[in-house]
């Protein structure tokens, strides 16, 4: 249990020990954050430790970094506390094996072509962790994410933004065109191979994904819909 959370939509820290949660200018905030999880976005409230350091002990114990707010009686007094939500999907042994095999394959390919590769690379500030960080001679960095288990679109966007803020170009690889990474971040789709095939020298063809990076302004007349709100927002996207 914790006495604070990070509000991902507003980008603010919430202090549950204060009557106004530390934000007197938001009178409806308590009602919003205590809305039952089935009636709000699951990733609205984030663990402060995860937000600050990129990981927390609860995740090591099989919980998610997303939080819910509960009432708790302490010393005869009712208070608000934050609790970790359970992980919605636990990777199967096959998904975990494919994930590990793909990370190792990406690292081998990068090193074979003269680049530096680091598996499970953590940023110096500890806020992000990348499956495989590939660095070229010119210092440019690509953060590969091997995604074989289900993931939400919001998580893809959030992690991609965090990578970009650290000077890393995110690149997600998946084996299904139904993954949330498709068209929401730089991505590549390969065939649905077993972990043994991924670990082997067998060639893997890129079947779909981003081959060229193009920047465009998000207007009502744009060919593409806004990746943020499905309409248009007036900002630039890539």
């Amino acid at each position: 249990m914790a006495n604070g959370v990070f509000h991902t939509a507003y980008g603010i820290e919430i202090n549950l020990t204060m009557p106004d949660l530390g934000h007197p200018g938001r009178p409806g905030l308590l009602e919003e954050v205590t809305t039952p999880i089935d009636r709000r976005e699951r990733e609205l409230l984030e663990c402060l430790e995860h937000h600050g350091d990129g990981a927390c002990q609860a995740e090591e114990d099989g919980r998610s970094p997303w939080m819910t707010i509960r009432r708790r009686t302490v010393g005869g007094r009712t208070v608000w506390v934050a609790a970790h939500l359970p992980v919605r999907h636990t990777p199967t042994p096959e998904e975990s094996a494919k994930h590990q095999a793909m990370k190792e394959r990406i690292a081998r390919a990068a090193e074979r072509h003269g680049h530096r590769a680091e598996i499970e690379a953590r940023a110096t500030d500890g806020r992000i962790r990348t499956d495989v960080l590939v660095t070229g001679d010119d210092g440019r960095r690509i953060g590969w994410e091997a995604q074989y288990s289900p993931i939400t679109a919001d998580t893809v966007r959030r992690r991609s933004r965090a990578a970009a803020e650290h000077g890393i170009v995110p690149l997600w690889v998946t084996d299904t065109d139904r993954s949330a990474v498709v068209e929401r971040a730089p991505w590549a789709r390969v065939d649905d191979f077993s972990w043994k095939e991924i670990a082997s020298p067998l060639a893997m063809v890129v079947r779909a994904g981003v081959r060229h990076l193009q920047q465009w302004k998000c207007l009502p007349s744009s060919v593409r819909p806004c990746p943020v709100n499905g309409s248009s927002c007036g900002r630039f996207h890539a």
Side-chain angles (χ1 to χ4, degrees), residues 112-150:
R112 186 167 63 248
H113 289 278
H115 305 305
R116 187 170 74 254
E118 182 183 356
I119 295 177
E120 293 294 328
R122 185 181 289 276
T124 54
D125 62 6
R127 293 191 59 178
I128 66 168
R129 182 171 53 198
T130 307
D131 280 350
V132 186
L133 182 62
V134 176
T135 305
D137 290 338
D138 58 1
R140 295 183 182 180
R141 300 183 296 171
I142 294 179
W144 284 81
E145 300 291 348
Q147 197 61 42
Y148 283 100
S149 59

Side-chain angles (χ1 to χ4, degrees), residues 148-183:
Y148 283 100
S149 59
I151 191 171
T152 67
D154 284 342
T155 299
V156 172
R157 294 190 185 101
R158 178 178 57 81
R159 289 174 55 182
S160 296
R161 284 196 301 269
E165 289 169 358
H166 284 76
I168 299 170
V169 176
L171 181 52
W172 299 75
V173 59
T174 180
D175 63 355
T176 172
D177 57 9
R178 297 185 299 276
S179 174
V181 309
V182 174
E183 303 297 2

